[in-house]
């Protein structure tokens, strides 16, 4: 037989990819404005990442975490010197990074409850599925890991109602990605921070989609001027090589000592080589400045060309994370765009989501907007 039918795949098979362009087995080209769900942020076949990975491939592939691995230190240092985090734990995916965050929050606080939000997405393991505020993700899997509760995003009263003396952490995305590209408001984030400080509750920010330059800053939480106790990374960190990271404050270090947590593959040298090349490139003011310029460029076009269209209800954007909320389900738009030669994503039923590579060109942006405009006219 074959694979479990867990994915509803589009009828596109990719043969090669370069920069913002992917080519299928029939030679048809597409502009990739999904970046493999926010992963290939530096474009396909990125020369710096490729060089780093190729060199590592020539050197060695795996020795396990029983031995020193200098590149892990380099990547950890890149992340912590560019954020307010102090310690990094490496793993292989977003769900694993959040899993580590949840374990650490419980152990460090000695408390059990984790408050997350409606429409959030945190992964598909038992803990992260329980953390995810979307019923459809949990159906059929029996009793969930206990002590998660869901508050309403951007509603501080719902957070107040959800917390109690057993609450270890409040966990959220500063912009809900899968849930529809929904940004937290500044006042909401400020109030959550104040509330958590008052009650000795940790703040966990899930930066798996918003991190690594996607929103025009190194990390999404920078837009809000806050300091999470823990934040998690994955997606864009390896530009396509599987890698995740959980980043925390120094005071949490003692709770993740030897034997408390681990991963055979976590921080493996190939993924680390990619992450080192990615972070070196992205954590750079000139690079992020360019992302901002592209974001402004696309914002103007969206405002002028797409916002006036009948089907469009709202456009939400931070950096190159873009959600176009429509009056109808966007499934047929996404399929129509594939026919035209644009790979885009949905977020929930009615939001067309664009996550172009951070290296996208203005010409490519022009082409993509044109295709979106055409498809929306139908
Ligand atoms: C994709 C995503 C995850 C899950 O990451 P996986 O690597 O698929 O486990 C978790 N949180 C957010 C915000 C994501 O976008």
């Amino acid at each position: 037989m074959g694979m479990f039918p867990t994915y509803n795949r589009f009828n596109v098979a990719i043969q090669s990819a370069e920069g913002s362009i992917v080519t299928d087995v029939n030679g048809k080209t597409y502009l990739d404005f999904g970046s493999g769900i926010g992963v290939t942020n530096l474009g396909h076949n990125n020369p710096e990442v490729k060089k780093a990975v190729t060199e590592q491939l020539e050197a060695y592939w795996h020795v396990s975490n029983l031995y020193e691995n200098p590149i892990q230190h380099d990547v950890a240092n890149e992340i912590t010197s560019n954020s307010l985090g102090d310690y990094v734990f490496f793993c292989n995916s977003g769900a694993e990074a959040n899993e580590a965050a949840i374990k650490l929050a419980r152990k460090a606080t000695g408390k059990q409850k984790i408050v997350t939000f409606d429409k959030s997405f945190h992964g598909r393991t038992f803990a992260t599925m329980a953390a995810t505020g979307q019923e459809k993700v949990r159906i059929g899997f029996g009793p969930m890991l206990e002590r998660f509760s869901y508050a309403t995003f951007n509603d501080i009263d719902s957070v107040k109602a959800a917390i109690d003396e057993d609450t270890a952490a409040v966990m959220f995305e500063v912009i809900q990605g899968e849930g529809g590209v929904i940004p937290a408001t500044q006042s909401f984030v400020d109030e959550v921070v104040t509330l958590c400080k008052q009650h000795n509750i940790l703040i966990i920010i899930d930066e798996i989609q918003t991190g690594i330059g996607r929103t025009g800053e190194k990390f999404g939480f920078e837009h809000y001027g806050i300091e999470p106790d823990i934040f998690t990374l994955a997606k864009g960190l390896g530009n396509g090589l599987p890698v995740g990271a959980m980043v925390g404050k120094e005071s949490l270090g003692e709770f993740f000592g030897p034997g408390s947590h681990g991963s055979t593959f976590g921080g493996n040298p190939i993924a680390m080589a990619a992450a080192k090349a990615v972070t070196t490139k992205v954590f750079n003011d000139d690079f992020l400045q360019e992302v901002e310029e592209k974001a402004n460029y696309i914002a103007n076009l969206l405002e002028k060309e797409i916002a006036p269209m009948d089907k469009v209800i709202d456009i939400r954007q931070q950096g190159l994370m873009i959600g176009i909320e429509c009056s109808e389900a966007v499934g047929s738009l996404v399929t129509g765009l594939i026919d035209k030669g644009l790979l885009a994503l949905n977020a929930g039923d009615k939001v067309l989501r664009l996550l172009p590579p951070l290296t996208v060109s203005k010409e490519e942006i022009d082409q993509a907007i044109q295709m979106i405009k055409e498809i929306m006219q139908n």
Side-chain angles (χ1 to χ4, degrees):
M1 286 290 279
M3 288 167 287
F4 276 102
T6 44
Y7 305 106
N8 217 346
R9 297 185 206 259
F10 294 103
N11 191 19
V12 176
I14 304 302
Q15 175 122 312
S16 63
E18 186 76 35
S20 310
I21 313 275
V22 300
T23 306
D24 74 12
V25 290
N26 304 314
K28 180 176 170 180
T29 60
Y30 307 80
L31 265 176
D32 185 359
F33 270 45
S35 301
I37 323 187
V39 169
T40 50
N41 286 357
L42 295 180
H44 294 283
N45 224 346
N46 177 278
E48 284 120 316
V49 180
K50 189 173 179 173
K51 181 167 180 284
V53 169
T54 308
E55 281 174 12
Q56 188 57 46
L57 209 52
E58 296 290 343
Y60 71 106
W61 301 359
H62 178 84
V63 293
S64 88
N65 286 308
L66 295 174
Y67 311 103
E68 277 298 342
N69 180 338
I71 333 172
Q72 286 186 4
H73 291 282
D74 294 345
V75 179
N77 189 46
E78 275 291 332
I79 294 170
T80 55
S81 62
N82 282 289
S83 70
L84 297 152
D86 299 305
Y87 284 135
V88 182
F89 174 82
F90 289 112
C91 50
N92 313 289
S93 69
E96 280 177 72
N98 285 338
E99 190 83 22
I102 292 162
K103 283 179 73 172
L104 179 59
R106 279 190 172 186
K107 191 159 188 226
T109 60
K111 299 188 281 185
Q112 309 299 316
K113 258 176 100 166
I114 312 278
V115 174
T116 64
F117 292 89
D118 288 340
K119 295 205 172 113
S120 63
F121 184 78
H122 298 297
R124 292 179 179 277
T125 62
F126 259 96
T128 60
M129 168 172 69
T132 293
Q134 299 187 47
E135 185 75 21
K136 65 176 184 201
V137 166
R138 302 191 295 265
I139 287 174
F141 294 110
M144 288 292 115
L145 183 66
E146 286 175 38
R147 316 248 59 201
F148 285 84
S149 56
Y150 315 109
T152 307
F153 204 48
N154 287 328
D155 174 358
I156 193 65
D157 290 333
S158 73
V159 184
K160 286 180 183 157
I163 64 167
D164 60 27
E165 61 285 355
D166 194 37
T167 302
V170 174
M171 174 170 174
F172 61 100
E173 305 150 83
V174 288
I175 304 169
Q176 291 186 327
E178 302 303 312
V181 190
I182 303 165
T185 63
Q186 180 73 52
S187 58
F188 174 70
V189 171
D190 289 342
E191 286 172 312
V192 169
V193 169
T194 308
L195 194 66
C196 287
K197 282 217 173 92
Q198 276 167 2
H199 294 87
N200 244 333
I201 294 170
L202 299 177
I203 293 187
I204 303 172
I205 306 283
D206 180 340
E207 288 278 349
I208 290 162
Q209 196 158 145
T210 50
I212 319 291
R214 173 52 57 193
T215 68
E217 296 282 1
K218 294 163 194 154
F219 308 104
F221 59 75
E222 291 176 53
H223 293 285
Y224 296 84
I226 61 160
E227 274 187 51
D229 301 285
I230 297 173
F231 64 93
T232 51
L233 300 169
K235 294 205 163 95
L237 181 56
N239 209 55
L241 275 284
V243 54
M246 186 273 293
V247 189
K249 291 283 191 195
E250 189 176 4
S251 57
L252 302 170
E254 62 178 294
F255 302 100
F256 250 20
S260 58
H261 195 55
S263 164
T264 299
F265 288 136
N268 92 82
I270 308 285
M272 287 293 104
K276 186 175 171 181
V278 167
T279 49
T280 309
K281 188 160 173 87
V282 173
F283 295 164
N284 171 294
D285 289 340
D286 292 338
F287 181 84
L288 292 169
Q289 181 64 38
E290 277 175 40
V291 174
E292 264 308 312
E293 278 162 29
K294 287 168 197 174
N296 290 337
Y297 185 77
I298 202 167
N300 280 330
L301 281 180
L302 286 167
E303 174 70 27
K304 212 167 68 207
E305 307 281 350
I306 305 299
M309 312 217 58
D310 287 345
K311 287 182 180 144
V312 176
I313 289 182
D314 189 22
I315 298 181
R316 297 183 286 271
Q317 179 184 3
Q318 184 74 265
L320 290 176
M321 183 168 181
I322 297 154
I324 303 169
E325 185 174 341
C326 297
S327 53
E328 56 190 63
V330 295
S332 62
L333 291 181
V334 173
T335 322
L337 285 170
I338 289 178
D339 291 341
K340 284 194 177 293
L342 181 71
L343 304 184
L345 304 164
N346 68 302
D349 281 345
K350 293 187 173 172
V351 177
L352 184 69
R353 178 173 39 150
L354 306 177
L355 303 172
L358 308 180
T359 49
V360 69
S361 71
K362 287 183 177 163
E363 295 70 39
E364 289 163 345
I365 291 173
D366 290 341
Q367 289 164 20
I369 295 291
Q370 189 55 37
M371 286 189 255
I372 294 167
K373 192 176 169 184
E374 284 168 18
I375 207 79
M376 288 214 176
Q377 270 157 352
N378 297 333

